[in-house]
């Protein structure tokens, strides 16, 4: 029986990109329990609904998180469109899908780089982010912004992409795919990386169900749940099957995300081949009246937006349930019984986006 | 082609005293808890407990309408990971939830303003009501 | 001491930011926009850092953390506020939990606007911070030298007065 002590972890730590505080109850290098303490990034943006009307709220919602910013704006717009029964034209749906899948590629590449930095492989971190710069160049060429690009509005999209730009995207994607294939050899088959990631932080399928985990974190334990099966936007015409793995450890989570990058590249190619011509926005008449729960698969998992309106220009209630908020109990469960040296990697394996969690 | 799921979304209004039984029923049916949220309209709280089916993505919401000072029991004994949602509701809206498993006592986000999402006039009414209840209980204990 | 000023170390802390400016700061330190060619390195230890990069607004929870980080850094030091949230509070200025920009807690020297701030603007801010840091290092060295001279003068006076006392 060793002596128990409490070690504070965070909010400022070289491995963590964002401030989160964990109190780790430790006995001889093994963690018994972890109690999270969040609230450093809490801005309270849900209170801005009283000051900005439902059109201007798109800009606020996009700034919930800089990494998944496009998907947040898209989810909000789709929620309002469902309340007002607006039918978005086909071309706008395909454009949203293309930008959304590129957003997923950029988010997974970012996570892979941070994971490499987390176990000390700095040159791999730099190589991964260099590939990611190509995706950001595509964003800048098509929308004008690198991380936060407001191209969503209630009713459709603000900008269009002509055929030259779509051909440019196809050329760049070939290059990106070639480079990611070289990088994946190190992430998946290198001996030192495997010995750091295999066998730690295992969660079984029953635990994932009991704790309601979402996203690649849950799919790595064998749960086949992906909101793209709902067939919204262009997904009803595309060939899509969710990627799962059965091991449930950190290596499986890394593998699921690497394979999702290749799947997103194939989905974008298919969407560019099938994109219809036509308008990119629909006219919006009247004010929203009703409520909805809108579910969308963001890069980190399933996000649920609860929007409640009652015929005024200002929304009554906006509640954002982000995927990291749902994965926090899963994190506390994986930390039990882990070594103190693995805490950084385990926190990174849920792909934490603390600014999403605390809004 | 992708096998598209067409989920059924439904909303059921229940009383506060039936909450624990209904939540236990949903858990036994194999549904998972998706989210719990609170809203405020016309002088009452509207709590929504949402459940999701992992096979066909059906979405079921249980809706409870509460008066401002009414008590409601916590579901964290049946669903342990609901503590974060319930602590958030308690801190941001002042919902009177009893017996939460891990009660952060309004220090989950550690905000300086109390119950910031309630309109200011309701905030004062709740604080005065709770103070008078606490004083009444304290008064009875002194008499003993 | 004079060699330190040519390669200052950078500490980056995110206080209630949405992450847009943070990943642009990290993108500055990686290939393509490489800011390390100016001699800086990203460190995680505040006691070894010279330049503090702050993103995001200040709220009641992280005010104490930012103040502690600033106090732990040794002098001379430079503070750069990156992004419009760190300058004034940004689009969240009217939220109930945001007190304001970084200058409500620590003295800021350089403001880099933008939402999210572009890497070109961030590198411009870092280069100006390096110039300011070099100037402050020179002033700091001069101050230390003058302090040393004053200390010598005082000890000489004390010795003279004690000699006079002994003679008397």
């Amino acid at each position: 029986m060793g002596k128990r002590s409490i070690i504070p972890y965070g909010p400022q730590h070289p491995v963590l990109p964002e401030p989160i505080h964990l109190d780790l109850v430790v006995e001889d290098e093994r963690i018994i329990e972890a109690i999270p303490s969040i609230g450093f990034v809490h801005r309270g943006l849900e209170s801005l609904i009283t000051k900005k009307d439902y059109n201007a709220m798109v800009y606020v919602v996009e700034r919930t998180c800089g990494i998944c910013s496009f998907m947040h704006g898209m989810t909000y717009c789709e929620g309002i469109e469902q309340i007002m029964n607006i039918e978005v034209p086909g071309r706008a749906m395909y454009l949203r899908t293309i930008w959304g899948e590129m957003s997923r590629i950029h988010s997974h590449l970012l996570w892979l780089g941070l994971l490499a930095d987390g176990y000390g492989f700095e040159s791999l971190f730099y190589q991964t982010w260099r590939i990611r710069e190509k995706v950001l160049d595509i964003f800048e060429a098509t929308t004008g912004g690198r991380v936060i690009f407001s191209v969503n509005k209630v009713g459709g999209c603000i900008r269009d992409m002509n055929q030259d730009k779509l051909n440019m995207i196809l050329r760049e994607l070939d290059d990106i795919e070639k480079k990611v294939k070289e990088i994946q050899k190190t992430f998946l088959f290198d001996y030192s990386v495997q010995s750091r990631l295999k066998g730690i932080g295992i969660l079984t399928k029953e635990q994932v169900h009991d704790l309601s985990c979402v996203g690649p974190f849950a799919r790595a334990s064998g749960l086949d749940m992906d909101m793209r099966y709902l067939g919204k936007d262009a997904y009803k015409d595309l060939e899509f099957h969710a990627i799962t793995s059965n091991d449930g450890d950190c290596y499986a989570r890394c593998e699921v995300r690497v394979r999702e990058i290749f799947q997103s590249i194939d989905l974008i190619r298919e969407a560019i081949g099938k994109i219809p011509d036509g308008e990119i926005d629909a006219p919006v008449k009247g004010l929203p009246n009703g409520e909805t729960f809108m579910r969308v698969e963001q890069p980190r998992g399933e996000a649920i937006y609860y929007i409640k309106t009652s015929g005024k220009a200002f929304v009554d209630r906006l509640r954002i349930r982000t995927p990291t908020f749902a994965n926090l109990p899963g994190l506390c469960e994986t930390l039990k019984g882990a070594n103190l040296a693995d805490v950084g990697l385990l926190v990174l394996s849920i792909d934490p986006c603390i600014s999403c969690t605390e809004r | 082609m992708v096998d598209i799921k067409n989920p059924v979304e439904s909303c059921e209004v229940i009383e506060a005293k039936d909450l624990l039984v209904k939540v236990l029923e949903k858990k036994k049916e194999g549904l998972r808890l998706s989210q719990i949220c609170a809203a405020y309209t016309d002088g009452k709280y509207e709590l929504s407990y949402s459940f999701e089916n992992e096979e066909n993505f059906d979405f079921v919401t249980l809706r409870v309408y509460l008066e401002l000072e009414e008590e409601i029991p916590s579901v964290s004994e049946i669903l342990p990971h609901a503590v974060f949602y319930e602590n958030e509701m308690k801190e941001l809206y002042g919902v009177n939830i009893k017996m939460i498993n891990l009660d952060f006592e309004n220090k989950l986000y550690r905000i300086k303003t109390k119950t910031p999402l309630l309109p200011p006039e309701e905030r004062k009414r709740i604080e005065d009501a709770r103070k008078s209840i606490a004083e009444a209980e304290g008064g009875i204990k002194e008499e003993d | 001491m004079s060699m330190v000023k040519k390669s200052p170390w950078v500490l980056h802390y995110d206080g209630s930011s949405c992450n847009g400016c943070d990943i642009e700061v990290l993108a500055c330190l990686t290939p393509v926009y490489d800011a390390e060619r100016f001699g800086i390195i990203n460190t995680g230890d505040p006691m070894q850092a010279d330049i503090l990069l702050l993103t995001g607004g200040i709220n009641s929870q992280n005010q104490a953390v930012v103040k502690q980080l600033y106090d732990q850094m040794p002098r001379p030091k430079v503070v750069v506020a990156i992004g419009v949230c760190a300058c004034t509070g940004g689009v969240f200025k009217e939220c109930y939990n945001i007190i304001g920009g970084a200058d409500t807690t620590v003295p800021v020297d350089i403001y880099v606007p933008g939402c999210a701030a572009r890497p070109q603007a961030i590198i411009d801010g870092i280069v100006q911070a390096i110039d300011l840091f070099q100037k402050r290092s020179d002033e700091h060295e001069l101050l230390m030298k003058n302090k040393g001279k004053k200390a010598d003068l005082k000890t000489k006076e004390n010795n003279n007065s004690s000699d006079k006392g002994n003679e008397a």
Side-chain angles (χ1 to χ4, degrees), chain A residues 189-216:
Chain A
F189 305 122
D190 186 74
Y191 172 70
S192 55
V193 170
Q194 276 186 346
S195 61
R196 223 33 238 273
L197 289 181
K198 273 204 172 175
I200 62 167
I202 298 185
L203 275 188
T204 60
K205 198 169 169 189
E206 288 78 30
Q207 279 175 308
V208 159
H209 170 83
D210 287 333
L211 296 168
S212 299
C213 301
V214 294

Side-chain angles (χ1 to χ4, degrees), chain A residues 43 47-48 51-52, chain C residues 89-98:
Chain A
R43 293 153 284 173
S47 65
L48 284 180
K51 301 193 167 83
K52 296 186 194 289
Chain C
V91 73
F92 303 114
K93 204 163 48 149
E94 296 160 349
C95 288
Y96 55 80
N97 207 28
I98 293 283

Side-chain angles (χ1 to χ4, degrees), chain B residues 92 109-111, chain C residues 60-61 96-97:
Chain B
L92 293 182
Y109 291 137
R110 290 164 282 143
I111 323 174
Chain C
S60 46
Q61 291 90 321
Y96 55 80
N97 207 28

Side-chain angles (χ1 to χ4, degrees), chain B residues 26 39 53 84 118 122 133 137 144:
Chain B
K26 298 283 176 239
N53 187 324
F84 290 108
L118 273 185
E122 299 288 354
I133 291 179
E137 280 176 6
D144 283 339

Side-chain angles (χ1 to χ4, degrees), chain A residues 113-172:
Chain A
L114 287 180
L115 182 77
D117 197 32
Y119 51 73
F121 208 147
E122 261 194 63
S123 49
L124 191 59
F125 163 51
Y126 290 151
Q127 292 292 338
T128 314
W129 278 48
R130 196 173 76 153
I131 306 175
R132 184 181 155 256
E133 288 288 327
K134 283 197 165 295
V135 181
L136 295 183
D137 284 342
I138 300 179
F139 281 145
E140 201 175 358
T142 52
T143 66
R146 281 166 52 101
V147 262
I148 298 187
F149 35 94
S150 312
V151 280
N152 278 316
K153 70 168 190 177
V154 176
C157 295
I158 297 181
R159 298 175 95 105
D160 198 355
M161 286 200 269
N162 57 12
Q163 197 55 40
D164 287 337
K165 291 216 166 99
L166 294 173
N167 293 340
M168 181 267 296
I169 294 180
L170 286 174
R171 276 194 311 265
E172 297 288 328

Side-chain angles (χ1 to χ4, degrees), chain A residues 22-245:
Chain A
L22 292 168
D23 279 308
L24 306 169
V25 179
V26 170
E27 184 183 307
D28 288 345
E29 292 269 341
R30 290 228 151 231
I31 296 176
I32 313 287
E33 211 184 329
I35 305 163
S37 177
I38 56 181
F40 292 97
V41 196
H42 184 73
R43 293 153 284 173
L45 54 88
E46 292 172 1
S47 65
L48 284 180
I49 49 175
T50 50
K51 301 193 167 83
K52 296 186 194 289
D53 68 352
Y54 74 94
N55 274 323
M57 271 307 279
V58 181
Y59 298 110
V60 174
V61 164
E62 275 181 347
R63 283 153 174 88
T64 315
C65 174
I67 310 176
C68 3
S69 118
F70 177 79
M71 294 284 213
H72 276 296
M74 185 173 99
T75 317
Y76 176 77
C77 289
E78 286 186 352
I80 300 273
E81 283 155 12
Q82 193 176 55
I83 294 179
M84 293 172 81
N85 284 327
I86 300 175
E87 195 159 324
V88 177
R91 190 174 175 93
M93 292 206 285
Y94 271 76
L95 287 175
R96 280 180 179 172
T97 308
I98 293 173
W99 273 316
E101 289 298 320
M102 281 204 285
S103 197
R104 196 182 309 269
I105 296 176
H106 125 79
S107 170
H108 284 333
L109 281 174
L110 187 148
W111 179 81
L112 284 173
L114 287 180
L115 182 77
D117 197 32
Y119 51 73
F121 208 147
E122 261 194 63
S123 49
L124 191 59
F125 163 51
Y126 290 151
Q127 292 292 338
T128 314
W129 278 48
R130 196 173 76 153
I131 306 175
R132 184 181 155 256
E133 288 288 327
K134 283 197 165 295
V135 181
L136 295 183
D137 284 342
I138 300 179
F139 281 145
E140 201 175 358
T142 52
T143 66
R146 281 166 52 101
V147 262
I148 298 187
F149 35 94
S150 312
V151 280
N152 278 316
K153 70 168 190 177
V154 176
C157 295
I158 297 181
R159 298 175 95 105
D160 198 355
M161 286 200 269
N162 57 12
Q163 197 55 40
D164 287 337
K165 291 216 166 99
L166 294 173
N167 293 340
M168 181 267 296
I169 294 180
L170 286 174
R171 276 194 311 265
E172 297 288 328
L173 279 182
D174 287 336
D175 196 24
I176 291 173
E177 193 179 14
K178 207 171 59 163
K179 294 202 162 97
V180 176
K181 276 195 175 133
E182 288 171 17
I183 287 267
Q184 76 157 353
K185 288 185 209 151
T186 317
F187 271 111
L188 297 181
F189 305 122
D190 186 74
Y191 172 70
S192 55
V193 170
Q194 276 186 346
S195 61
R196 223 33 238 273
L197 289 181
K198 273 204 172 175
I200 62 167
I202 298 185
L203 275 188
T204 60
K205 198 169 169 189
E206 288 78 30
Q207 279 175 308
V208 159
H209 170 83
D210 287 333
L211 296 168
S212 299
C213 301
V214 294
F217 183 64
R219 291 202 281 276
S221 298
L223 179 70
D224 189 13
M225 192 164 169
D226 191 322
M227 287 300 129
R228 288 176 277 176
Y229 279 137
L230 293 179
K232 294 210 174 77
D233 292 331
Y235 291 110
K236 52 185 179 298
D237 303 326
L238 301 179
E239 185 79 38
F240 168 73
H241 299 279
I243 295 179
T244 57
S245 161

